[in-house]
Amino acid sequence: MNSLSEYRRKRKFEKTPEPEPKAARPVPSNRFVVQKHDATRLHYDFRLEIDGALKSWAVPKGPSLDPADKRLAMETEDHPLEYGDFEGVIPEGNYGAGPVIIWDRGTYAVEGDASASEQYRRGEIKFALQGERLRGSFALVKIRGRDGKGKPWLLIKHRDALADPNWKIESMPESVTTGRNLKELEEGLPPSASTLAARPDQLDGAQEGKMPRSIHPMLSTLVDKPFSHPDWVFEIKWDGVRALAWIDNGGKDTRLALHSRTGRVITRQYPELAALPGRVRATNAILDGEIVTLDESGRSDFERLQSRMNVQSVTEALQRQAPVTYYIFDLLYCDGYDLRAVPLLQRKELLRHIVAFGDRFVYADHQAGQGKELFEVAKEQGLEGIIGKLARSPYCETRSPDWVKFKITRDVDAVVGGYTDPRGSREHFGALLVGLYEGKNLRHIGGVGTGFNEKTQKDVYAKLEAIESKTCPFALQPKTREKASWVKPELVAKIKYANWTRERNLRAPVYVTLLNDHDPEECRFDVETPAPAAEAFEATEDRAAPPPNKGSPIRGRRGSAGSEVLTERAGIEHELFKGKSENASIEIDGRPLRLSNLNKVYFPESGYTKRHLFAYYYRVAPYILPFLKDRPVVLRRYPDGITGEAFFQKDAGQHVPEWMDTVMVPSEEKGQTRYFLANDVAALLYLTNLGCIDQNVWSSRSDDLERPDYVFFDLDPSEGTEFTVVVDVAQAVHEELLALQMKPFLKTSGATGFHLYMPLERGYTFEQVRSFAEIVGRLVGAKMPQQVTHQRIVSKRPPGTVMIDAYQNAYGRPLAAPYAVRAFPKAPVSAPVTPRELRRSLQPDRLNIKTMLGRIEKQGDLWADFWKARQRLEDAIEKLDVR
């Protein structure tokens, strides 16, 4: 049956202004529209373009940007694509009689690895909206009706940067296209010019004018060390090709022009980016970003990108070999307004509003104020470096101290001034002679003879022959062993190196590639050698590591460096429980580990060291590993203990032991992220050695990341709330679950809160699990209005209240595992407890790294039967009122 047959059956097109479906369908796109419709009752029609039609849902209360709102959405018949532009009055006597306005419209991007069509068939659609009113991540989740009638779904707003807990749909009655409300439309009043869309003319410093034909990209200044400062924002530095995108969505044909940093048009080299104009909700715009090729770990892979850089006709095979992603970080022009004088953060906010990000187009997000922290994360993940930007900076077309870069990998963009004769088996040349400008003089910085293969040597030599010169371009002619030939200083080479010598020459230089988008005159000493960070932003010096203590290790075998490797269980346990060495090498089940800084104090109040943490996890491994196995781990690392700086880490990085299990997880920002899996004792200790105090894992496993196998209730008290109040709320949640004939398992959070878990039969989606937890939380909140709050912003929660946080039940959201140590004074543990212990006298800080093992010996593993008690939600849902 045609998906529009029901739409046709219900309407007489000679009597209604609604559009009749056309035989020829428009070119498919990811459009959405929300129409406010006052028919038998007022409602909002939410429509997504899927499979050539508008899949439609009637939402009685309308969509919301508040994640706490779960809106009932009744699926209705498909509507034709033409209906997305319909605004008018349906006459009395016709189906759906009443006024209809376009309340919101825009584009959407599918989230997840399945198409919108496939997700619709599964009964759960995840998508990000880029509308004039609705923005951010949403989901539609199919549910079962109480009477078996109708097609009910839930429309859910995900918790993200665009969520709004103060959302009030009543304050937005007008059409986004005509400015009229329903009454004005019915009365036949003319359209209003006003809209609620964000406009570039509202930004500070926006200047009306024609779109510039050319812009020189703003460049950053190299600084020697990272800093943190509240006036700055920090982004990842991607190793790719700088590209400014000119977007023209006017006229019949949309146009895209990509320009390199030197102004060269490179559009044909990246045909897969041709879809960008359709993602931009503006007639004309200029964007700034970086084109990169990502490896399977989500890092930029410049070597693979090189195969695309000088190719004019890119084949599909080459696109598959080196796929590209466009990281967009700035907006310079939009619909008649030059934005280069607008403060950076305002430009970025409008950028987020007008571009539907996803797939190959990624918003280059930033961290506010935390430069040192982001630099450490980038270093751990093997990235090139980070960029710091003054939050209020305008966009100037030069190199500016308002943008700074901190490099992790050392490389330099140098001018090629000549080459030496070949030696040995080389055919074309021996080494490139490179330099940097100092004033007007080109100063020689070294010869580069490694990094070439036969093909690159031949290609580079062909370019050198074309620009040969009889004159040495260097201010002082360099001394070389072999005869030197000179070239005009027109080529720029990217060179990696170990460091600079005192004579300001490169030590151990390696050729990477020629850069055809760089101006040789910009290759200068003051650009390529780091300047000191501004005094106000200077990073504090790292504290010196304590001197190693001499110990007497138990005998094992010798390591490759002559160190003792402890292989026997007795030797390992002696070192962990009684040893005094600062470092130790051990081997567990054939898996080598180097344990470092064993005597470093991690918990100053109680004096527990990193060694104590190792010893605890070594002993508790049989009890915690069942809750870590095959689950992606999100690390929070404390290299200097709980009083030092901490940082989060998701990506495992490049230097992972061969024996360590990991899982590649799709990521919109990076393509893929490689997560650790703590599947055995060696892996658990390896993560502990990285400074990971608590183990935070996903509620789904690596073989099916979309399906959690437990649901949990995270009780999060407001600041200063007595733990007795937390216990009261936990008792109420426990009683509610028992009334639903569910079997919950209880544990302290190890901090100020409490957790209730229920193991599930696999098959539920995160949306279904989260909706269940949210409904239970609402029921408890209705019974305890003085103790339970639904306010997600911690600072706004009333004193003495507890938030029953269901939103952690989400894809990629971790929670501390049972038996995990927490990073608080006294080293508390997220400890399983019995229902009888859930009383006001419970003191969670007594369940800590010192007492936990004795407790297990006395009471046993309280969660030993957890996985034998898998439950289903259907019966419980039948007892709940989702309306």
Side-chain angles (χ1 to χ4, degrees), residues 808-822:
Q808 286 293 109
N809 289 277
Y811 182 89
R813 295 281 180 85
L815 198 68
Y819 297 109
V821 182
R822 304 305 306 277

Side-chain angles (χ1 to χ4, degrees), residues 76-137:
T76 63
E77 74 275 13
D78 290 355
H79 284 53
L81 299 181
E82 297 85 359
Y83 209 95
D85 298 319
F86 173 67
E87 185 166 291
V89 180
I90 303 173
E92 288 293 331
N94 288 272
Y95 175 78
V100 178
I101 61 172
I102 298 174
W103 182 84
D104 195 19
R105 65 179 180 181
T107 60
Y108 76 95
V110 180
E111 296 182 334
D113 57 355
S115 67
S117 180
E118 175 62 25
Q119 292 190 35
Y120 169 78
R121 288 192 292 272
R122 293 178 186 174
E124 180 181 356
I125 316 172
K126 297 178 181 179
F127 49 88
L129 297 181
Q130 187 70 20
E132 300 188 31
R133 285 171 170 156
L134 298 178
R135 292 182 293 159
S137 182

Side-chain angles (χ1 to χ4, degrees), residues 162-201:
L162 298 173
D164 181 3
N166 299 314
W167 174 264
K168 294 188 183 301
I169 199 169
E170 298 81 7
S171 66
M172 295 167 275
E174 305 92 351
S175 162
V176 294
T177 60
T178 65
R180 297 177 294 189
N181 59 35
L182 290 169
K183 184 178 180 181
E184 291 169 339
L185 175 68
E186 244 181 338
E187 292 176 351
L189 295 180
S192 167
S194 65
T195 70
L196 294 181
R199 299 202 310 258
D201 62 340

Side-chain angles (χ1 to χ4, degrees), residues 394-627:
Y395 191 96
C396 57
E397 297 180 63
T398 184
R399 194 174 299 276
S400 169
D402 287 348
W403 287 16
V404 295
K405 57 186 175 183
F406 317 98
K407 288 187 177 183
I408 295 169
T409 59
R410 295 177 176 176
D411 57 56
V412 61
D413 300 338
V415 180
V416 180
Y419 59 94
T420 61
D421 282 355
R423 60 185 179 214
S425 60
R426 289 199 173 177
E427 180 180 352
H428 301 290
F429 61 87
L432 295 181
L433 303 176
V434 298
L436 293 173
Y437 278 102
E438 199 166 39
K440 294 183 178 180
N441 296 322
L442 182 63
R443 186 185 181 283
H444 177 251
I445 60 172
V448 186
T450 60
F452 302 97
N453 57 34
E454 186 176 341
K455 183 179 184 307
T456 54
Q457 262 234 332
K458 181 178 179 181
D459 292 344
V460 171
Y461 186 65
K463 291 181 170 61
L464 295 173
E465 284 186 309
I467 56 172
E468 282 187 347
S469 172
K470 295 181 180 180
T471 305
C472 173
F474 297 106
L476 295 175
Q477 182 170 321
K479 297 179 180 179
T480 60
R481 290 183 181 179
E482 287 74 27
K483 178 185 175 182
S485 300
W486 312 115
V487 298
K488 298 174 184 177
E490 297 176 359
L491 297 179
V492 175
K494 184 183 185 72
I495 310 295
K496 288 187 177 181
Y497 63 96
N499 47 42
W500 291 91
T501 68
R502 291 183 179 179
E503 295 77 22
R504 294 197 299 172
N505 290 330
L506 298 178
R507 178 173 283 126
V510 179
Y511 171 83
V512 179
T513 188
L514 291 180
L515 301 170
N516 54 16
D517 61 344
H518 282 52
D519 183 350
E521 293 187 2
E522 292 183 353
C523 300
R524 314 184 62 81
F525 260 107
D526 58 354
V527 170
E528 296 292 346
T529 53
E535 184 175 348
F537 310 139
E538 278 206 350
T540 56
E541 293 294 329
D542 293 335
R543 290 180 298 214
N549 294 325
K550 295 182 179 179
S552 301
I554 300 294
R555 289 285 178 187
R557 63 173 175 80
R558 285 285 175 185
S560 59
S563 60
E564 195 78 25
V565 179
L566 304 176
T567 58
E568 299 296 328
R569 179 175 177 178
I572 294 171
E573 291 182 354
H574 182 277
E575 182 60 56
L576 293 181
F577 304 149
K578 299 180 181 180
K580 296 181 180 180
S581 304
E582 181 65 21
N583 304 303
S585 295
I586 66 174
E587 187 175 287
I588 299 177
D589 297 329
R591 297 173 176 183
L593 285 167
R594 175 70 173 170
L595 309 183
S596 60
N597 301 314
L598 288 164
N599 299 317
K600 179 178 284 189
V601 176
Y602 265 29
F603 299 86
E605 181 192 26
S606 48
Y608 296 134
T609 63
K610 192 176 181 181
R611 183 190 305 278
H612 289 113
L613 194 63
F614 276 123
Y616 172 81
Y617 278 127
Y618 182 83
R619 283 182 169 176
V620 84
Y623 311 108
I624 191 174
L625 284 175
F627 299 95

Side-chain angles (χ1 to χ4, degrees), residues 232-245:
W232 289 69
V233 297
F234 300 89
E235 303 169 357
I236 293 296
K237 184 180 186 298
W238 297 102
D239 192 6
V241 173
R242 185 74 173 273
L244 277 72

Side-chain angles (χ1 to χ4, degrees), residues 1-238:
M1 176 184 285
N2 188 300
S3 68
L4 298 176
S5 58
E6 184 68 6
Y7 173 85
R8 293 177 182 272
R9 186 185 67 80
K10 291 181 174 181
R11 290 161 178 82
K12 298 178 180 179
F13 296 107
E14 68 275 10
K15 296 183 179 181
T16 178
E18 296 168 281
E20 186 172 5
K22 296 179 181 179
R25 301 280 175 81
V27 176
S29 65
N30 282 13
R31 289 197 307 158
F32 87 92
V33 65
V34 181
Q35 286 158 314
K36 190 175 180 181
H37 187 183
D38 192 5
T40 305
R41 64 188 65 177
L42 180 66
H43 66 279
Y44 295 76
D45 290 307
F46 183 86
R47 312 188 197 278
L48 294 177
E49 180 179 340
I50 299 176
D51 293 340
L54 294 174
K55 293 290 182 186
S56 300
W57 293 263
V59 185
K61 293 184 179 180
S64 174
L65 288 183
D66 185 356
D69 296 333
K70 303 292 187 293
R71 298 303 201 205
L72 180 65
M74 299 299 294
E75 186 178 358
T76 63
E77 74 275 13
D78 290 355
H79 284 53
L81 299 181
E82 297 85 359
Y83 209 95
D85 298 319
F86 173 67
E87 185 166 291
V89 180
I90 303 173
E92 288 293 331
N94 288 272
Y95 175 78
V100 178
I101 61 172
I102 298 174
W103 182 84
D104 195 19
R105 65 179 180 181
T107 60
Y108 76 95
V110 180
E111 296 182 334
D113 57 355
S115 67
S117 180
E118 175 62 25
Q119 292 190 35
Y120 169 78
R121 288 192 292 272
R122 293 178 186 174
E124 180 181 356
I125 316 172
K126 297 178 181 179
F127 49 88
L129 297 181
Q130 187 70 20
E132 300 188 31
R133 285 171 170 156
L134 298 178
R135 292 182 293 159
S137 182
F138 286 79
L140 275 162
V141 182
K142 194 172 186 178
I143 59 176
R144 186 166 60 184
R146 297 180 65 184
D147 54 5
K149 297 180 180 179
K151 298 179 180 179
W153 296 59
L154 289 178
L155 178 61
I156 302 167
K157 175 72 182 80
H158 289 150
R159 183 183 179 188
D160 58 16
L162 298 173
D164 181 3
N166 299 314
W167 174 264
K168 294 188 183 301
I169 199 169
E170 298 81 7
S171 66
M172 295 167 275
E174 305 92 351
S175 162
V176 294
T177 60
T178 65
R180 297 177 294 189
N181 59 35
L182 290 169
K183 184 178 180 181
E184 291 169 339
L185 175 68
E186 244 181 338
E187 292 176 351
L189 295 180
S192 167
S194 65
T195 70
L196 294 181
R199 299 202 310 258
D201 62 340
Q202 297 173 341
L203 303 183
D204 299 334
Q207 299 176 5
E208 191 170 7
K210 293 182 179 180
M211 186 160 64
R213 293 185 177 182
S214 64
I215 292 178
H216 191 282
M218 184 170 178
L219 302 175
S220 56
T221 301
L222 181 62
V223 176
D224 62 348
K225 60 177 69 174
F227 58 80
S228 295
H229 195 279
D231 290 343
W232 289 69
V233 297
F234 300 89
E235 303 169 357
I236 293 296
K237 184 180 186 298
W238 297 102

Side-chain angles (χ1 to χ4, degrees), residues 778-797:
R778 292 280 177 176
L779 290 174
V780 174
K783 296 176 182 178
M784 307 179 71
Q786 300 303 316
Q787 292 88 1
V788 175
T789 179
H790 300 296
Q791 174 58 255
R792 296 198 55 75
I793 302 175
V794 177
S795 62
K796 294 184 179 180
R797 293 177 188 169

